[in-house]
Amino acid sequence: MDVMTDVVIIGSGIAALQAALLLEKHFQVQIVTKSAVHVSSSYRAQGGVAAVTSEEDDIEYHIADTLKAGEYHHEKEHVEALIKDGAKIIRNYLKSGLPIDRHSNGKPALGLEGAHSHHRILHAGGDRTGQIFMDYLLHKLSPKTKINCYEMAYELLLNTDGDCVGVLTKGRHGIKRYFAHHIILATGGAGALYSCTSNYSTNTGDGIALAFRAGAAISDMEFMQFHPSLLWCENKAKGLVSEAVRGAGGVFVDAQRHSIMKGLHAQLDLAPRHITALALYHKRVAGEETFIDIASINNFRTRFPTIAQLCDDNQIDLQNSLIPVAPGSHFLMGGIIADDKGRTTIANLYAVGEVACTGVHGANRLASNSLLEGITFGQKMAQFIIQKGCHQKNFILHHHKCSDSLPSLFSKEQLQQQMMQFLGIVRNNEDMQHFVQQLPSLQSLLHVHLQGLEQAELELLLMHIVATLMVHAAITRTETRGAHIRTDQPKMEAQWANRWIIFSQGQMKVRNSLYEYHQARGNAQAIF
């Protein structure tokens, strides 16, 4: 079945909806999402949106916090655009009636989270910020924007000029071919490549693999952020316990209620996530249980209803004031290289939100900057597309010759366990080299003939592509920086400052810029 439209958005998180709201006023828009529209990291977001809205705070403070948390591995112009433009967009939302939590005097109730110097986290429904914001946007979306649920995008379509003009999807109604003037990837991250994660099981990095197969440039794949506080019981991660709990007074403790972070960092339990996650990791490796002590938080159930319900559902007795937690994969800082307008290295292909790498999160994302990113760059991208208009005339497809059969792959569960073991919160060269030898080569993954594969096989293939990119990047960055922690190279190295590992067209390059402009040609090596 063929569908012709103006804009196709793949994904249904906050970046997708923000863009769709603006684009639908000018174009025909089709949203394609792998599951239900509510199954996204945006909808699940508990903490809130980081934005400067009070007189006590300042744009420069927020920029400084973002750069410090990410170890200065940033595209600074894009950080400034995120913080400055984002604050304006959020203020407009507040004026238009976005239902956030407020004090009795009407002022926003601003929370504090890790690595933030000021209270600036806007939240709604206590810990239901993502859900409330998403429902607010969905309510504003008009019926003329068609949302296609339970369709998995598995291949981008390029024309004979190399422009992106469509996408193939597979779902309950079989295979569809969407043709459009603009294709937007807003597919989220890749946390579900790990066995212990805060992400939905659908967050398998599909968009990154699609873009890489099409020839788009990818970067920062070594930087997976591990959240320190996933609810942990029955040897499984059961969901997220927001950093806002610690902002409200929660403390990381061991079974004897001794503080874990005392003496490790000046910001204690609100240290950057790689610091807190590593501290809990070491405790758990030593065989100790780890908890958040909520004894000092008044009205916990009222302030954090989602987390309280999560604890109830898993028979965690909150009367004891201890919530069992463990670190797990949470947010990928890397992805498809895009600018602040979403433009990738392929014409008419855009990437926005967690699937994109714009240089705003550096080596470790600052808490609650993710919803801000989706809102801000979703709007900037939509404004650019509106200005550009729909002028694609060439919809003659370039047929990429793929003849290889599906190589031997790990099962989904095996791959997730291997990722956790060898590419988890701490890594070393020996383990990663062992892991990469167990994976199929990128050449064998890139040349698979996709016709006839079932949806589960397609997802598994794309997962293996993303995992392979991640392990190659992690082996190449021979240092510890931000969320990338190597036990065999435990310090940051000066020669790796402002260096980006780029994958494109079957090659890997190490460049001193995320973007090609003013970039001397670096050494490239084949990764096949």
Side-chain angles (χ1 to χ4, degrees), residues 14-280:
I14 201 162
L17 297 187
Q18 174 78 340
L21 276 171
L22 296 172
L23 291 170
E24 70 173 10
K25 298 173 184 175
H26 303 268
F27 308 119
Q28 292 180 332
V29 178
Q30 295 258 356
I31 293 175
V32 176
T33 188
K34 188 177 178 181
S35 186
V37 71
H38 292 140
V39 179
S40 70
S41 294
S42 299
Y43 200 81
R44 215 178 214 184
Q46 295 174 351
V49 184
V52 175
T53 58
S54 73
E55 294 179 0
E56 292 78 20
D57 201 359
D58 190 271
I59 294 292
E60 294 305 319
Y61 296 152
H62 193 176
I63 291 172
D65 292 346
T66 299
L67 297 175
K68 185 177 180 182
E71 300 289 4
Y72 303 95
H73 178 78
H74 298 79
E75 185 71 20
K76 192 175 178 183
E77 287 183 9
H78 289 172
V79 174
E80 291 172 351
L82 172 71
I83 306 304
K84 293 177 181 177
D85 295 347
K88 294 175 186 175
I89 293 168
I90 292 297
R91 289 192 195 109
N92 287 335
Y93 268 119
L94 296 182
K95 290 177 184 176
S96 67
L98 178 69
I100 62 162
D101 296 338
R102 296 178 179 271
H103 294 298
S104 56
N105 62 5
K107 288 187 176 181
L110 300 176
L112 180 67
E113 292 184 357
H116 285 273
S117 59
H118 289 70
H119 286 75
R120 65 169 67 99
I121 313 302
L122 295 155
H123 50 87
D127 57 4
R128 295 188 298 118
T129 309
Q131 176 187 335
I132 289 172
F133 209 140
M134 289 283 289
D135 286 342
Y136 181 79
L137 297 181
L138 281 167
H139 181 72
K140 286 180 171 290
L141 204 63
S142 79
K144 69 179 184 179
T145 292
K146 182 167 174 48
I147 301 177
N148 306 274
C149 296
Y150 299 100
E151 287 186 31
M152 177 184 171
Y154 67 92
E155 187 168 27
L156 295 172
L157 302 175
L158 305 184
N159 67 10
T160 52
D161 297 320
D163 304 339
C164 188
V165 293
V167 62
L168 281 171
T169 72
K170 178 170 282 196
R172 293 180 296 190
H173 303 293
I175 293 174
K176 286 187 187 178
R177 290 197 308 178
Y178 290 87
F179 291 94
H181 300 265
H182 305 280
I183 309 294
I184 298 169
L185 290 170
T187 52
L193 263 68
Y194 291 83
S195 57
C196 181
T197 182
S198 65
N199 288 199
Y200 281 109
S201 62
T202 50
N203 292 125
T204 49
D206 300 347
I208 296 168
L210 261 67
F212 182 67
R213 277 179 57 91
I218 313 292
S219 186
D220 280 357
M221 294 300 288
E222 66 271 36
F223 295 120
M224 171 62 78
Q225 183 181 79
F226 288 79
H227 199 289
S229 56
L230 273 59
L231 183 69
W232 186 257
C233 53
E234 299 175 348
N235 289 317
K236 289 182 180 178
K238 300 290 188 175
L240 185 67
V241 180
S242 171
E243 198 161 293
V245 171
R246 283 172 281 129
V251 179
F252 283 128
V253 297
D254 59 22
Q256 289 73 44
R257 294 185 186 260
H258 296 146
S259 171
I260 292 173
M261 294 306 301
K262 188 174 181 180
L264 293 182
H265 194 276
Q267 288 181 283
L268 299 174
D269 301 275
L270 290 176
R273 285 178 177 168
H274 64 288
I275 304 291
T276 51
L278 183 60
L280 268 67

Side-chain angles (χ1 to χ4, degrees), residues 279-443:
L280 268 67
Y281 169 83
H282 285 315
K283 285 286 186 183
R284 299 194 69 84
V285 166
E288 296 186 48
E289 293 181 283
T290 49
F291 304 86
I292 296 178
D293 187 341
I294 61 169
S296 67
I297 303 177
N298 295 323
N299 304 314
F300 182 85
R301 287 186 174 277
T302 303
R303 296 177 69 176
F304 302 102
T306 304
I307 297 169
Q309 186 62 54
L310 183 65
C311 290
D312 291 344
D313 292 343
N314 290 280
Q315 290 78 53
I316 304 299
D317 183 10
L318 291 179
Q319 293 296 320
N320 191 35
S321 299
L322 291 180
I323 300 176
V325 293
S329 64
H330 185 56
F331 189 94
L332 182 64
M333 274 71 73
I336 307 159
I337 296 178
D339 65 10
D340 62 338
K341 299 171 182 63
R343 291 176 292 185
T344 71
T345 54
I346 296 177
N348 304 336
L349 178 66
Y350 304 81
V352 67
E354 191 175 350
V355 74
C357 179
T358 59
V360 296
H361 298 307
N364 201 24
R365 176 179 64 89
L366 182 66
S368 289
N369 268 3
S370 52
L371 291 181
L372 184 70
E373 176 192 18
I375 295 161
T376 305
F377 291 153
Q379 177 163 314
K380 291 173 74 69
M381 176 187 65
Q383 290 170 338
F384 172 79
I385 291 173
I386 291 165
Q387 186 178 32
K388 186 176 182 180
C390 293
H391 303 295
Q392 180 61 257
K393 303 243 189 297
N394 180 7
F395 287 93
I396 301 171
L397 296 182
H398 168 71
H399 293 288
H400 183 61
K401 293 181 180 179
C402 290
S403 57
D404 293 354
S405 58
L406 196 66
S408 177
L409 303 175
F410 288 116
S411 70
K412 187 172 183 177
E413 294 74 20
Q414 287 172 335
L415 181 61
Q416 290 167 329
Q417 290 165 3
Q418 296 280 313
M419 288 289 288
M420 204 74 213
Q421 181 178 355
F422 299 124
L423 207 63
I425 188 168
V426 296
R427 301 107 182 249
N428 66 73
N429 186 63
E430 184 179 351
D431 283 349
M432 291 188 293
Q433 291 288 358
H434 172 76
F435 180 39
V436 82
Q437 288 166 16
Q438 311 308 309
L439 291 166
S441 70
L442 270 176
Q443 183 179 31

